[in-house]
Amino acid sequence: MKRLFGSTLGLKASWIKRLEKLYQRRTPVEYLVTGELARELSQLSFEIRRQIGLLINRKGRVAFVIVGDPRGIVIPDLSEYRLAPGRLRGLRCIHTHLSQEALTHDDLTDLALLRLDMMAAIIVGDDGLPQKIHLGHILPGASGKAPYQILDPLLPHQLDIGCLALIQALEAEFATSSPSRSRDVGKEERAFLISVSTGPRREALDRLRELEELAASSGLEVAGTELQQRRKKDPKYVMGLGKLQDLAIRALQQEVTLLVFDQELGASQIRAIADAIDLKVIDRTQLILDIFAQRAQTREGKYQVELAQLKYLLPRLLTKNKAMSRLTGGIGGRGPGETKLEINRRRIRERIGRLEKDLKMVRRHRKQQRARRGKRGVPLISIIGYTNAGKSTLLNTLTQSRVLAESRLFATLDPASRRLRFPRDTEVIISDTVGFIRDLPKDLMVAFRATLEELENADLLVHVIDASNPLFEDQMNSVETILGDLNLSQLPCILVLNKQDRVEPERLDTLRRKFGAIAISANSPATLMPLIQKMEQMIAVHPESEEIPVDNF
């Protein structure tokens, strides 16, 4: 016999047996529910003084029997009934109401969030018989606040409503009006971006705009954004549960499959939010890690990104499957063995160990390269800056290279080094580093230690700043904070105000004097001579080195 969902504590054995027998009932596909089954639900609910719910599939079979309390029922996990774009769940909910109330807010929220085929409430009379049946369904193409439609109440003899045909018609209309039909080619997922802030609104809006840029860089199609300001963040859901459910309904209306939070979420928060709204949930850190995983091209870069992802995942590794997946026999091997969760954790720890070993080899190899470079007396200039400030463009223009340079966050990840000869015939190596960003994930900092160690041996840093960005001072501070964390603040540094053609001349002069910076346009060679002269002045004079293959750097 299939299990009963909810609490059966305090119920008589005869009641439990009658509840279990509900699984044997069949409903013709054209009926919402049969009159006989409606009477049985009402009488049993009246006797136990609790709400009873059924989830019926499109073949008319009862998939779940739910026992609630006098005020409501809790719908169990429906993950085995997967959703697809333009499709409904494939289950309709029929449950009893002991009070004379129609569909409640909770009923309609469950209808929308779970994308049920239908939601119906049977009003139980004082004699235990069904009176009216209130029902509603999702409204395809709804753009207002109510993504559902409540139909006129039915009497117990009016339940032949052509149920399956109605559901199929709704689903066809739902698919026709689905935003997924007009998605851009190449977009993998539609996302809703959320920021919950306890600070100033301006700062929160700035962070949300940056989150939009990160989402665009990762290939997400942004369906909408939401900013909520609170005195204190909810420890479980980050934002209030009611607000989260309203947001989830809006997201489902727009065929959104992913919620992206600007704040870093803990394991319990991710699980609580995902359980409450039945949508995939990630945070800003996961989004950045995903971008890095897309951009990594070299074996070293892939190792570093994978290590950061695994370290982030390990404490957040959760599973609802408590089944034992390894059974061993023999002396010392009897018993349940390891759970799936334990196996996953062990395998992740083993993989982390292997990656850390491989990256130690990378660090050792880089150290040898730096030692050879030091012996040959070749100065190293490292270009640093906030992501999308123009570092790769500057490297290309200075060295006539073809490093990938695009106007999006983290367009390039793997560092590139090129040779540059100054007018006075001094030769240097100039390298482009991974872009910085505010609140750079700590796991990513640790994983990219081998790459960032290159900065320790730089003779000069060139800090590229996007002067056209209204938030460039905040970006400057973020870069300087990261340099401080890496103990690199003592290195000589040239501040470069890039994209001078997008800034008014008067403001540019003010900024140049204020920060002691050099103004350039990274894609215009004619503007780079002051920078080249400044770099040559600040680099100590080295004897000319022998020809060194750039690939060695």
Side-chain angles (χ1 to χ4, degrees), residues 147-174:
Y148 43 75
Q149 181 176 6
I150 300 176
L151 305 180
D152 293 335
L154 302 176
L155 296 175
H157 64 276
Q158 298 175 324
L159 299 175
D160 182 0
I161 61 172
C163 189
L164 181 60
L166 175 59
I167 292 171
Q168 291 175 338
L170 289 171
E171 200 166 59
E173 188 178 350
F174 194 72

Side-chain angles (χ1 to χ4, degrees), residues 480-499:
E480 291 170 359
T481 299
I482 294 174
L483 290 177
D485 294 339
L486 297 172
N487 297 319
L488 300 175
S489 301
Q490 76 283 358
L491 292 178
C493 182
I494 300 175
L495 291 182
V496 177
L497 298 175
N498 189 24
K499 306 181 184 180

Side-chain angles (χ1 to χ4, degrees), residues 325-326 338-348:
S325 59
R326 176 181 292 185
E338 292 179 289
T339 65
K340 181 67 174 176
L341 178 58
E342 289 167 346
I343 292 175
N344 290 340
R345 283 175 174 164
R346 177 170 53 80
R347 288 176 177 170
I348 287 179

